[in-house]
Amino acid sequence: MKNRARTPNDIGHAIRQARKAKKLTQKDLAERSGVWQETISKVENGLSDTKLETVFDIFAALDLEILVQGRSKGSADSFEDIF
Amino acid sequence: MKNRARTPNDIGHAIRQARKAKKLTQKDLAERSGVWQETISKVENGLSDTKLETVFDIFAALDLEILVQGRSKGSADSFEDIF
DNA sequence: AATATATATGATCTGTAGGGCATAAATGCC
DNA sequence: GGCATTTATGCCCTACAGATCATATATATT
């Protein structure tokens, strides 16, 4: 499952999606990542201009990684398709 | 060309790589992205905990996008391979 | 509907990112 | 070596992220 992200909001969606897929609560994720539950809530909802370090802390806890690539018009399940 | 990123540093590397590939100076990129040259320098060198918005502004100017995916031990040219 | 659990919101405080400007250091070219 | 261009540093200032705690909603569960 790969998710295209072009905005901070997309990142938030990807995080929420991955967290739910792993059946974790925000609190669980907070404990594993060292990021506050309140912060996770804001990140997932795009309510703050999150710092990279925070994003990667969360990603690590969710076993996610980023792939940087040139923009493709190509399909692939992007958030535009899902949300 | 896809680059795996698991740390802010990786993002900086990817940016520098893409910028050079497009033969742009930091100043050029600054103009296109609306992000200061000084900031770009710091981001490329991992000298600041960059905000997501800034990263995406730069990415847009470089026609880059992010793919969020589960971590794979798999090959693919990651920074571990390049740097 | 009451209770429990999960998520969101709100305030305060500290640290730091990034805009802005100046300039130093490095790199490239003749 | 000397000049031009590019990149890195340093400072000031304002805005805001995230830690932390409290509490309000919202979402199950029985």
Side-chain angles (χ1 to χ4, degrees), chain B residues 15-16 18-20 22-44 53-62:
Chain B
I15 288 172
R16 171 157 294 177
R19 176 175 64 80
K20 294 226 160 143
K22 288 192 155 49
K23 301 213 195 301
L24 297 173
T25 66
Q26 289 182 350
K27 200 169 164 222
D28 294 334
L29 182 53
E31 277 155 13
R32 299 185 183 207
S33 63
V35 175
W36 251 241
Q37 176 265 316
E38 293 84 341
T39 299
I40 292 174
S41 169
K42 282 177 203 153
V43 173
E44 287 188 355
E53 193 66 53
T54 304
V55 171
F56 280 114
D57 284 348
I58 295 174
F59 272 26
L62 289 171

Side-chain angles (χ1 to χ4, degrees), chain A residues 4-80:
Chain A
R4 176 193 291 157
R6 292 182 177 178
T7 67
N9 247 307
D10 293 340
I11 297 291
H13 285 143
I15 288 172
R16 172 156 294 175
Q17 196 175 291
R19 176 175 65 80
K20 295 227 160 141
K22 288 192 154 50
K23 301 214 194 302
L24 297 173
T25 67
Q26 289 182 350
K27 199 169 165 224
D28 293 334
L29 182 52
E31 276 155 14
R32 299 183 184 208
S33 63
V35 175
W36 250 241
Q37 176 266 316
E38 292 84 340
T39 300
I40 292 173
S41 169
K42 282 177 202 153
V43 173
E44 286 187 355
N45 292 295
L47 297 180
S48 81
D49 193 358
T50 320
K51 294 193 232 160
L52 266 187
E53 194 67 52
T54 304
V55 171
F56 280 114
D57 284 348
I58 295 173
F59 273 26
L62 289 172
D63 256 296
L64 293 177
E65 67 180 7
I66 275 177
L67 224 56
V68 180
Q69 62 175 18
R71 292 201 175 188
S72 53
K73 332 91 218 116
S75 58
D77 53 301
S78 62
F79 288 107
E80 289 77 49

Side-chain angles (χ1 to χ4, degrees), chain B residues 2 9 12 14 18-19 23 26 28 33-34 36 40 45 48-49 52 55 58 61-62 68 70 75-78 81 83:
Chain B
K2 294 187 209 301
N9 248 306
R19 176 175 64 80
K23 301 213 195 301
Q26 289 182 350
D28 294 334
S33 63
W36 251 241
I40 292 174
N45 292 295
S48 82
D49 194 357
L52 266 187
V55 171
I58 295 174
L62 289 171
V68 180
S75 56
D77 54 302
S78 61
D81 302 325
F83 299 95

